[in-house]
Amino acid sequence: MTPDARLLAASVLRQVENESPPTSFLCYGTADNVLLGLGRKRSLEITTTSSLDEIWAAIDDFVTVNSGETIIGFIGFDPSNELHREVEDYRQKVDLFVPETLIEFSRTGYTVRTGEWDEKALLETAVQPRSAALNPCQFDRESYRADYSHAVSRVLDRLRRGIVERVTLARRIDVDKILDLLAIFQSEGSQHECARNFYFASELIRFAGQSPELLAEGSVRCFHTHKLSGTYRRSAELPIGELARRFQADERIRAEHFSSITAIENSLAELGALDSEKFQVMELPSLLHGWSRFTTRPRQPLSVAKCLRAVFPFGVQPMQQGLELLRDNENFLRGPYYGLVGYIRSDGEFSFTQVLRTAFADAYTNYLVVGAAITNRSSPELEVAETCAKLSGVRLFENPHPGN
């Protein structure tokens, strides 16, 4: 078996994921390197009806006050939508914290960066997946697809009347199984350089997945952004080279991709010098994505929070009208979905990926969320098909021993 940092980290997660009272943690990384933070020394948990500016100011203050310590956690999507301010719900909150214990894993070993951990526990045999993979598409009901198709039609009506230019509309799929989030975290999935595995847990919500959209990695001196937009399902009939050529020549895909990257490119350009490689093809095990890469070198000292705000994925244009359509056409709060999850190291280096291809578990249910960008070349049929393709790319496992 090839050594894998995710499997080594899983040996610790297995011991803490079902503790009572629960231990908050984030495990994040790749087969080569995983950072695991356990417990809360200090935290920022936003559940109030604060404005967007107030939320980002609180994040900025928290990062500044805790400079020199590692910070882990997520910045959810719902705080960005001030139209939901009247709704008090944990799914709205930002959850960032300084962990009590921080362990870094490589393919062959580990280092306890802060705190303490039992060395014998760390030397246990790496955990293997405990259950067979589930097909996520088996949970996708016809009623879910029909409701989404109707919602896409309503958004297209606003778009064709010139009210909006682009709206990334999501749908939720409830899962009537107890999911094995640890198996999801440690599953191999894609080996692409941008793929990041993660498993977050708190008293209120848990989620695990592997996202290919690495939106911010580096430092305030120089950081990299990988923006994805446009999706094809891989085909057994066509060689990958031919499929990639068709993908890049598809005018609908091109329009969707460039409408997506314009906003983030403009936002990053305000920070400083910007280099880019636009509209490459990212090949994943079951999908192709349009992929643009940006390197930002801020012209003056910035905080990490300002860098993260510049890449935060709203997915709508213009923002106010687009967020109104999300409020009116998505019948759920997104919570962490479509937001950012990751870490800021004690030396200022950071890595945050978008929360996509992820399974969620709260006190009520297990569920998945997928979405698609609605543009003037969209149709309900195409967007339903795209969400189905993305759903097929979610790694999913059932927990055979949910009490363990």
Side-chain angles (χ1 to χ4, degrees):
M1 183 185 68
T2 304
D4 189 319
R6 294 167 298 191
L7 299 182
L8 293 176
S11 66
V12 175
L13 287 178
R14 180 174 58 183
Q15 300 169 61
V16 302
E17 67 173 337
N18 292 309
E19 285 183 344
S20 182
T23 297
S24 295
F25 62 79
L26 173 65
C27 203
Y28 177 100
T30 67
D32 293 320
N33 183 269
V34 166
L35 202 64
L36 170 60
L38 297 160
R40 295 174 183 267
K41 188 185 298 184
R42 289 178 295 280
S43 60
L44 174 67
E45 301 171 74
I46 299 177
T47 57
T48 62
T49 53
S50 303
S51 71
L52 182 58
D53 286 340
E54 290 169 337
I55 287 170
W56 280 106
I59 294 171
D60 203 352
D61 288 345
F62 183 75
V63 173
T64 300
V65 168
N66 292 287
S67 175
E69 297 202 68
T70 295
I71 297 170
I72 60 177
F74 74 85
I75 302 170
F77 181 84
D78 291 316
S80 71
N81 194 343
E82 296 186 20
L83 299 170
H84 281 313
R85 287 178 62 190
E86 72 281 2
V87 181
E88 289 276 358
D89 191 286
Y90 75 83
R91 295 178 185 87
Q92 287 188 275
K93 79 176 185 176
V94 172
D95 195 345
L96 299 171
F97 56 96
V98 176
E100 294 178 330
T101 301
L102 185 68
I103 310 170
E104 186 166 4
F105 298 87
S106 67
R107 285 185 179 270
T108 57
Y110 68 91
T111 302
V112 178
R113 297 294 184 189
T114 60
E116 297 180 354
W117 193 262
D118 182 1
E119 183 175 352
K120 290 182 180 180
L122 284 167
L123 293 175
E124 283 189 0
T125 302
V127 177
Q128 298 301 305
R130 297 176 291 183
S131 52
L134 294 169
N135 177 4
C137 299
Q138 75 184 74
F139 305 104
D140 192 14
R141 303 173 189 169
E142 177 60 35
S143 61
Y144 292 159
R145 297 190 293 275
D147 288 346
Y148 187 73
S149 179
H150 295 320
V152 172
S153 295
R154 292 191 293 270
V155 171
L156 280 171
D157 175 67
R158 304 300 193 280
L159 191 146
R160 288 163 181 161
R161 288 159 53 188
I163 297 173
V164 290
E165 299 171 16
R166 170 192 173 88
V167 174
T168 300
L169 188 69
R171 63 188 182 99
R172 170 172 158 160
I173 298 96
D174 288 335
V175 176
D176 59 353
K177 301 284 187 182
I178 303 299
L179 297 178
D180 188 340
L181 297 181
L182 179 57
I184 294 169
F185 163 75
Q186 69 187 70
S187 63
E188 184 171 282
S190 171
Q191 298 183 37
H192 195 276
E193 64 182 280
C194 293
R196 297 293 181 272
N197 290 53
F198 48 85
Y199 182 2
F200 175 91
S202 72
E203 186 176 357
L204 297 171
I205 193 167
R206 296 177 179 228
F207 59 89
Q210 184 191 72
S211 173
E213 194 153 1
L214 184 60
L215 286 180
E217 187 164 87
S219 71
V220 294
R221 298 177 300 279
C222 176
F223 66 94
H224 306 284
T225 298
H226 303 265
K227 181 62 182 171
L228 307 185
S229 187
T231 302
Y232 265 18
R233 192 193 291 265
R234 292 187 70 154
S235 169
E237 288 73 35
L238 283 177
I240 187 63
E242 175 60 25
L243 186 63
R245 284 190 291 273
R246 293 188 184 188
F247 179 82
Q248 288 192 297
D250 188 321
E251 288 301 321
R252 182 182 70 88
I253 293 293
R254 293 182 66 86
E256 176 185 330
H257 186 81
F258 283 99
S259 71
S260 171
I261 68 170
T262 297
I264 198 166
E265 183 177 23
N266 291 340
S267 181
L268 292 171
E270 291 181 1
L271 302 183
L274 187 65
D275 296 324
S276 64
E277 297 177 63
K278 297 180 182 177
F279 200 41
Q280 309 298 306
V281 178
M282 178 181 285
E283 300 176 9
L284 300 178
S286 62
L287 302 171
L288 298 185
H289 287 306
W291 171 29
S292 287
R293 295 181 277 191
F294 300 95
T295 299
T296 306
R297 296 176 177 83
R299 67 177 61 90
Q300 60 186 15
L302 294 177
S303 65
V304 175
K306 289 181 179 177
C307 297
L308 296 180
R309 188 170 185 176
V311 303
F312 194 87
F314 292 103
V316 296
Q317 185 65 33
M319 189 164 69
Q320 180 69 16
Q321 291 86 344
L323 292 178
E324 288 177 1
L325 285 177
L326 294 187
R327 178 195 61 189
D328 295 340
N329 289 283
E330 291 181 354
N331 60 357
F332 64 97
L333 289 171
R334 291 187 179 187
Y337 171 75
Y338 214 75
L340 300 173
V341 63
Y343 62 75
I344 307 166
R345 287 181 179 271
S346 58
D347 62 4
E349 294 284 324
F350 55 81
S351 179
F352 281 84
T353 193
Q354 190 169 7
V355 183
L356 303 171
R357 317 295 150 80
T358 297
F360 301 88
D362 61 24
Y364 308 102
T365 188
N366 298 277
Y367 61 96
L368 311 170
V369 186
V370 289
I374 316 302
T375 68
N376 60 8
R377 294 177 182 267
S378 296
S379 71
E381 296 77 18
L382 286 171
E383 305 316 323
V384 169
E386 181 171 324
T387 60
C388 291
K390 290 175 177 175
L391 183 62
S392 71
V394 179
R395 304 282 290 174
L396 209 60
F397 296 84
E398 181 181 6
N399 191 339
H401 307 292
N404 297 327

